[in-house]
Amino acid sequence: MRFTPRGTRFFDLLTDAARNLVTATAVLHDLVAAEPADREPLAKRLHEVEHHGDELMHTIMVELNSSFVTPFDREDIQALAGKIDDALDFMDTAADLAVLYRLGAFPPGTDLLVRVLSRCAELTATSMPGLAKVGDLEPYWIEINELENEADRIYRRILAHLFEPGGDALEVLKTKEVVEQFELAADAFEHVADVVQTIAVKES
């Protein structure tokens, strides 16, 4: 029988990191809805959120290296924190590129993609405290998988729209690179859920 130590900071720190993703998706939603001239302050705000995520990641690593006993395998804690950080990085990159490329209007469907990311963030944030009892988290990783599939479908429709005849080739390439970061963020959310599922299997 496995012994899962209680009273550690890991559950709280991972929950804080996941809640930071909720903040990020809210800012990203505002950025996608904003006029191009109004995006730069939102991109800066998202970068601040990303920086806070880096600080949380650093704290988790320090805690991991200084803890004699951890609630589950060290490599799984590191992987979980890293995948959360990846999702945040992709969203930050999307916002940064939208400003640097002076992107015009986002293509139709981008708001739907952000809505999927927002749901993924909410699910992740509400599920992280459940790591203390991972057997109850199966609905979480199942829904995240479904959301990632939906993100793929939306992304393909966006690409189909972008590559319609008559579009400016340079604008198409710039827009594709930005929107691709949204899809990569959805993939990262699924990778977070995959790590949670791995932990659940090990702890069962």
Side-chain angles (χ1 to χ4, degrees):
M1 183 172 65
R2 297 189 59 138
F3 172 66
T4 302
R6 308 297 178 185
T8 70
R9 294 187 63 206
F10 290 110
F11 300 127
D12 290 340
L13 287 169
L14 289 167
T15 297
D16 288 345
R19 286 174 179 162
N20 200 46
L21 292 172
V22 176
T23 303
T25 56
V27 178
L28 195 63
H29 173 272
D30 291 344
L31 184 140
V32 167
E35 294 295 325
D38 299 327
R39 288 178 188 155
E40 187 169 359
L42 293 165
K44 288 180 178 178
R45 169 60 182 140
L46 187 47
H47 190 64
E48 291 170 358
V49 175
E50 189 274 336
H51 180 67
H52 180 55
D54 287 343
E55 291 175 339
L56 288 168
M57 178 74 173
H58 175 72
T59 303
I60 291 170
M61 291 301 102
V62 169
E63 188 77 13
L64 191 61
N65 291 330
S66 61
S67 296
F68 180 70
V69 179
T70 57
F72 36 85
D73 289 346
R74 292 173 184 272
E75 62 267 25
D76 291 330
I77 295 173
Q78 184 171 358
L80 194 53
K83 298 307 180 184
I84 290 173
D85 190 58
D86 286 346
L88 191 54
D89 285 344
F90 287 128
M91 288 188 279
D92 181 48
T93 299
D96 195 35
L97 289 177
V99 172
L100 291 174
Y101 288 170
R102 296 182 174 87
L103 207 65
F106 282 95
T110 307
D111 59 329
L112 299 177
L113 202 48
V114 175
R115 195 178 303 169
V116 169
L117 294 179
S118 297
R119 177 60 181 160
C120 286
E122 291 166 2
L123 280 172
T124 304
T126 57
S127 297
M128 285 302 103
L131 286 170
K133 194 176 181 181
V134 289
D136 296 337
L137 291 179
E138 184 176 0
Y140 152 69
W141 65 68
I142 289 174
E143 185 171 352
I144 288 289
N145 181 262
E146 292 170 350
L147 288 166
E148 195 278 331
N149 290 336
E150 177 64 17
D152 283 345
R153 289 190 289 269
I154 295 169
Y155 179 61
R156 289 193 293 268
R157 290 197 293 270
I158 291 173
L159 290 184
H161 172 79
L162 284 177
F163 288 110
E164 287 178 354
D168 179 86
L170 183 57
E171 285 300 313
V172 167
L173 289 176
K174 291 192 295 186
T175 304
K176 178 183 180 295
E177 186 175 353
V178 173
V179 176
E180 184 179 26
Q181 303 303 311
F182 294 85
E183 199 274 334
L184 290 171
D187 288 346
F189 276 112
E190 185 178 40
H191 295 156
V192 172
D194 289 342
V195 177
V196 172
Q197 185 175 7
T198 297
I199 294 168
V201 170
K202 290 181 179 180
E203 294 293 320
S204 61

